Amino acid sequence: MKRKKLTASMIALVMSVSLPMTTYAANWYLEDGSVTVNADNSGQTVTQGSTSTPDEAPVITQRGSSAETSNTITINASENATANVTISNVNIDTSSAAIATSGKGNVNIELDGTNTLKSGVDHAGLEKNSDGNQGKLTITDENENGKLIATGGDGAAGIGGGLYGDGNDITITGGEITATGGDCGAGIGGGTSAGGKNITIAGGKVTATGGKGAAGIGGGFYGDGNDIIITDGKVTATGGDYGAGIGGGNHGEGKNITITDGEATAIGGLNGAGIGGGLQKNGEKITVSGDATLKVQGGPTDEWDGAGAGIGNGGSHNGDFSGSFTPVNGAETEPDTSNLTTGKIEYYAPGADMTKDEPTSTILGSGQPASPGETAAPVEYRMQTSASEPVQGNGKSTGYKAPVQGHFYQVVGQDGKDMIFATAQKKDVLAIATDSDFAMLTGKMVDIEALRKQGVRRIIFATKRATSTFLLSELLEKRAYGETWSLIHDGENVAFTAVEKMMDISSILTRLQTKFKINATEQ
């Protein structure tokens, strides 16, 4: 009897000690009702219905994500606290905010699977109003399997502010993110009459599209877009009419925008800058550095206002609409490229097809060649835009005298026979040139790999009337199309092909306009 009492007492003691220490990491199903997560200095709880349960790592999901639910998620984080939530294959379509954050603390949302958030009028898809949630919102994808599709209602952002709500202090570190603002709402940033600032993208694939009058990333209608940073990932930001791709919405400015690494494409809406100001407003303090690869395009003109700059100001007009007036294109602002190394900036004309048309100009970093075999501070090159445009170049002459390791590639003529050509190499840039209108540079992917191991990062190919350059790493990415590649210069025409599947891979080329002096030797 004493033994039984002792055993029962021990069990009771163990339970009394262990139960308060238990933290759940449960699945919470939206079919069972809306979910509220509360985090404070004492811990985190999840409430669904009338039940509140401690849970430091809740996973909010659905039993069947193909069916939409109108139930929502609310995340409250008190000052000095951080709420941690995983959303997994949720599909919310509601008249309020699909997910809303609040409080003075921070909120971390991990993505698993495909998550679709569609909110009603005045509410962001993933809503973070700066007056409601004053901490930082961080979206992560640690398992690299997460996707988020966030669509705001009219007046609100895809991710960020609702009606009149600033969308500030937002960080994305991973995941495939598609954020679309409703009318007057940014893709990521502010809602109507509100701005977006302290927005950081540090990874993932992010597509942000502003509604009419708003930026892709930055300000909503009449909102500024400031202090925006891209440090990694692949980002495409498209402004709605009158908004910048990255920066201000309609009549909003875009300042302190920094891109240090990764790939970014910024496309202005009607009259908006690619990066900078929305309609009639300015863009300034734009920095591009490191190995950032940036493509920019200002929005087109209309009958009232001019086209937006690639980087700089939105379009405007001279005069009064009641009298005579003239549309004025937005002024370009020179970005700070003093620390741009292996990256580049490509400018596209308003209305151009960025997938097919060549850029109108390109800025190459200091790790890129200023002329064959040389490196220099960032230099802007004017692209060859038509066969009738003479090749004037930058006036610099460069002789080629270094011997070439010819077994890595060939230079042949129209008859398929080897041609006389010359080479030079300085640091990681290999230049190959021939004094001919037609020449084909060709080789094998395995030899491109060998060149990389020898320290070559970029090849420049120059003929009499054309000069093109490509990164070896980007050529190797096309290996699935074949082991043999050929780069053909025919007068001013250039073609780059993966031979086996006859796949055009010219998209990885940059065409330079440079004048050369050729001192060739038989190779």
Side-chain angles (χ1 to χ4, degrees):
M1 181 65 68
K2 288 183 178 179
R3 180 175 296 177
K4 289 182 179 179
K5 287 183 178 179
L6 181 60
T7 302
S9 299
M10 291 177 63
I11 292 172
L13 178 61
V14 170
M15 290 183 69
S16 68
V17 172
S18 63
L19 282 177
M21 296 173 61
T22 300
T23 57
Y24 294 87
N27 286 348
W28 300 85
Y29 296 98
L30 286 173
E31 290 93 340
D32 298 334
S34 295
V35 174
T36 299
V37 178
N38 289 291
D40 58 27
N41 293 328
S42 64
Q44 181 170 286
T45 61
V46 178
T47 301
Q48 190 172 45
S50 59
T51 303
S52 183
T53 305
D55 192 338
E56 298 295 330
V59 178
I60 302 174
T61 185
Q62 291 177 222
R63 295 183 180 89
S65 61
S66 60
E68 296 174 346
T69 179
S70 61
N71 292 327
T72 62
I73 302 169
T74 302
I75 308 171
N76 303 310
S78 299
E79 188 172 7
N80 300 321
T82 298
N84 296 290
V85 176
T86 296
I87 57 173
S88 177
N89 293 306
V90 302
N91 185 359
I92 303 173
D93 186 346
T94 180
S95 59
S96 58
I99 297 181
T101 65
S102 62
K104 294 183 179 181
N106 301 321
V107 174
N108 297 332
I109 298 177
E110 166 71 11
L111 304 177
D112 281 347
T114 298
N115 300 278
T116 302
L117 311 176
K118 186 176 181 181
S119 296
V121 175
D122 299 342
H123 291 285
L126 198 173
E127 188 164 286
K128 184 198 182 297
N129 290 316
S130 60
D131 57 349
N133 181 201
Q134 299 167 37
K136 183 170 73 171
L137 168 65
T138 302
I139 300 171
T140 63
D141 180 24
E142 294 181 358
N143 296 325
E144 298 183 352
N145 66 346
K147 180 184 293 187
L148 175 64
I149 303 166
T151 304
D154 286 348
I159 299 173
L163 182 68
Y164 308 133
D166 291 327
N168 301 338
D169 304 307
I170 298 169
T171 296
I172 297 171
T173 65
E176 184 177 340
I177 313 293
T178 301
T180 305
D183 277 354
C184 302
I188 301 173
T192 298
S193 300
K197 70 177 182 180
N198 295 330
I199 298 170
T200 299
I201 298 174
K205 180 181 180 181
V206 178
T207 302
T209 304
K212 186 175 182 180
I217 300 174
F221 179 75
Y222 271 73
D224 297 335
N226 300 328
D227 303 315
I228 299 168
I229 301 173
I230 298 172
T231 64
D232 201 356
K234 185 174 184 179
V235 179
T236 301
T238 305
D241 286 352
Y242 319 121
I246 302 174
N250 185 354
H251 283 82
E253 296 188 337
K255 298 180 180 179
N256 298 321
I257 299 168
T258 301
I259 303 172
T260 63
D261 284 300
E263 300 178 32
T265 300
I267 304 168
L270 185 68
N271 310 129
I275 297 179
L279 173 67
Q280 299 178 14
K281 289 295 182 176
N282 297 337
E284 59 183 45
K285 296 182 180 179
I286 314 299
T287 301
V288 185
S289 63
D291 67 353
T293 299
L294 174 63
K295 297 181 179 182
V296 293
Q297 181 181 51
T301 186
D302 62 11
E303 59 182 320
W304 307 106
D305 294 282
I311 298 176
N313 301 345
S316 60
H317 63 269
N318 287 329
D320 192 319
F321 288 150
S322 63
S324 62
F325 67 92
T326 304
V328 177
N329 292 341
E332 294 284 346
T333 297
E334 184 177 354
D336 179 357
T337 58
S338 57
N339 292 313
L340 183 63
T341 54
T342 56
K344 63 181 178 180
I345 307 173
E346 294 180 339
Y347 290 78
Y348 289 81
D353 184 340
M354 298 175 75
T355 64
K356 297 179 181 179
D357 298 333
E358 290 187 355
T360 57
S361 62
T362 299
I363 296 176
L364 301 178
S366 60
Q368 308 268 22
S371 60
E374 298 180 347
T375 60
V379 177
E380 183 170 351
Y381 292 90
R382 185 163 58 87
M383 298 297 116
Q384 298 171 200
T385 56
S386 69
S388 61
E389 182 180 352
V391 181
Q392 299 297 331
N394 60 14
K396 295 182 180 180
S397 297
T398 302
Y400 298 89
K401 298 179 180 178
V404 63
Q405 296 172 327
H407 64 280
F408 289 118
Y409 48 83
Q410 286 181 284
V411 179
V412 299
Q414 287 177 302
D415 57 3
K417 295 181 179 180
D418 289 341
M419 297 181 65
I420 294 174
F421 66 97
T423 67
Q425 182 175 342
K426 186 173 183 179
K427 295 184 178 178
D428 56 2
V429 179
L430 175 64
I432 304 166
T434 182
D435 193 11
S436 174
D437 276 331
F438 180 96
M440 179 172 69
L441 177 66
T442 185
K444 301 286 188 181
M445 293 292 188
V446 65
D447 293 322
I448 290 294
E449 284 186 331
L451 280 174
R452 287 190 70 189
K453 290 179 180 178
Q454 291 197 7
V456 177
R457 186 183 60 85
R458 174 178 291 277
I459 288 178
I460 297 175
F461 186 44
T463 51
K464 262 189 175 181
R465 292 194 292 162
T467 305
S468 62
T469 177
F470 61 92
L471 291 170
L472 273 61
S473 59
E474 293 186 351
L475 175 56
L476 288 171
E477 289 177 359
K478 306 296 183 182
R479 197 168 192 168
Y481 299 124
E483 281 294 317
T484 304
W485 56 271
S486 66
L487 173 56
I488 296 175
H489 286 192
D490 187 359
E492 292 183 342
N493 298 315
V494 174
F496 204 6
T497 305
V499 174
E500 279 89 342
K501 295 189 178 180
M502 295 304 295
M503 179 63 66
D504 181 8
I505 55 175
S506 300
S507 60
I508 69 173
L509 287 177
T510 297
R511 296 187 63 183
L512 309 180
Q513 190 170 353
T514 310
K515 183 167 61 179
F516 301 97
K517 177 181 178 182
I518 307 296
N519 296 322
T521 57
E522 185 83 35
Q523 300 292 326

